[in-house]
Amino acid sequence: MAHTLSAAAPLPTHAAPPDLDTDAVHQARLELAACFRAAARLGLAEGICNHFSALLPGRDDLFLVNPYGLAFEEITASRLLVCDLHGHVLAGQGQPEATAFYIHARLHLAQPRLRAAFHTHMPHATALAMLQDPPLQFAGQTALKFHGRIAVDEHYNGLALDNAEGDRLAAAMGDADVLFMQNHGVMVTGPNIAEAWDDLYYLERAAEVQLKAMSSGRPLKPIADDVARRTHLQMREGDPASARAHLASVMRVLRRDGVNFDH
């Protein structure tokens, strides 16, 4: 299912920018690698097909992404690629998977506010993306984290193997933070890696409990819209700090369990 990217013309060696080895870049590598490994542990990956990206600190034109051919559970900080928006690999071994490049490069180009972008076929959220009705219902507290933050791409158009499809998906995202890609999967974005991870985790939890409730055959009981909006604002006020603490805990647990993501 994954596709090899036709490599862009190689850059001369002196073209690599000088800021690829800063402390901030190293920390971003660690955080993103931890997200891959935690996602693998939670069953959110699908073979070698899904991809996470993050713009480099201080840059809108370079991003970290996983190389083609590695499962999430194989990712380490040093294995992440640094790519530009034209398909050149400036650091790392290999190439991004083709759909990873066309989706993430075009999204980051169109919307640099989205510093991190996580695309998965995680099972429960993807199951909701296969339904006719709006995917996420605001019937559980966890779902309220996403109230007013979701867009839906209702026009599945095959694999993203060119700039046009990447641009179409970036436009479908609009001002939202989460894109349900119907008949496909989800894209979860954030202003930083920690907040993207936090949303990815809680979106799948919200989807899981919704599907469990739906499987009872009884109707969902929606939350009143004014209460949903108020609760959403309460959640969002604390989200940045909570997300940082969440990712820090993920990294501690991985290290405690001997998961060697940080080399």
Side-chain angles (χ1 to χ4, degrees), residues 187-220:
M187 176 70 79
V188 178
T189 68
N192 53 61
I193 293 168
E195 290 183 58
W197 166 257
D198 199 58
D199 277 351
L200 187 81
Y201 174 86
Y202 284 110
L203 181 67
E204 181 67 354
R205 294 291 290 176
E208 181 179 9
V209 296
Q210 179 177 317
L211 287 167
K212 286 181 181 291
M214 291 168 66
S215 70
S216 72
R218 299 168 61 185
L220 297 176

Side-chain angles (χ1 to χ4, degrees), residues 61-190:
D61 59 336
L62 302 177
F63 63 99
L64 292 165
V65 68
N66 46 313
Y68 174 66
L70 296 183
F72 278 18
E73 63 188 340
E74 297 180 279
I75 297 296
T76 65
S78 64
R79 283 180 162 174
L80 293 169
L81 306 176
V82 177
C83 297
D84 68 13
L85 299 178
H86 307 289
H88 300 110
V89 175
L90 304 184
Q93 298 296 315
Q95 292 281 335
E97 194 268 336
T99 63
F101 173 73
Y102 288 113
I103 291 174
H104 291 260
R106 304 310 288 182
L107 182 66
H108 289 308
L109 176 64
Q111 302 214 45
R113 71 178 179 90
L114 306 176
R115 305 296 299 179
F118 292 2
H119 170 59
T120 73
H121 303 161
M122 54 189 188
H124 298 98
T126 299
L128 293 185
M130 295 166 63
L131 302 179
Q132 287 279 5
D133 296 326
L136 193 64
Q137 303 295 313
F138 299 111
Q141 177 171 286
T142 303
L144 300 184
K145 178 175 171 64
F146 304 99
H147 191 271
R149 302 175 58 212
I150 290 173
V152 180
D153 173 26
E154 299 179 352
H155 306 290
Y156 178 69
N157 198 38
L159 299 183
L161 293 175
D162 54 35
N163 285 339
E165 182 63 7
D167 290 341
R168 190 188 71 79
L169 292 169
M173 175 72 75
D175 295 330
D177 301 317
V178 173
L179 180 66
F180 274 90
M181 305 155 80
Q182 287 201 316
N183 309 108
H184 182 178
V186 292
M187 176 70 79
V188 178
T189 68

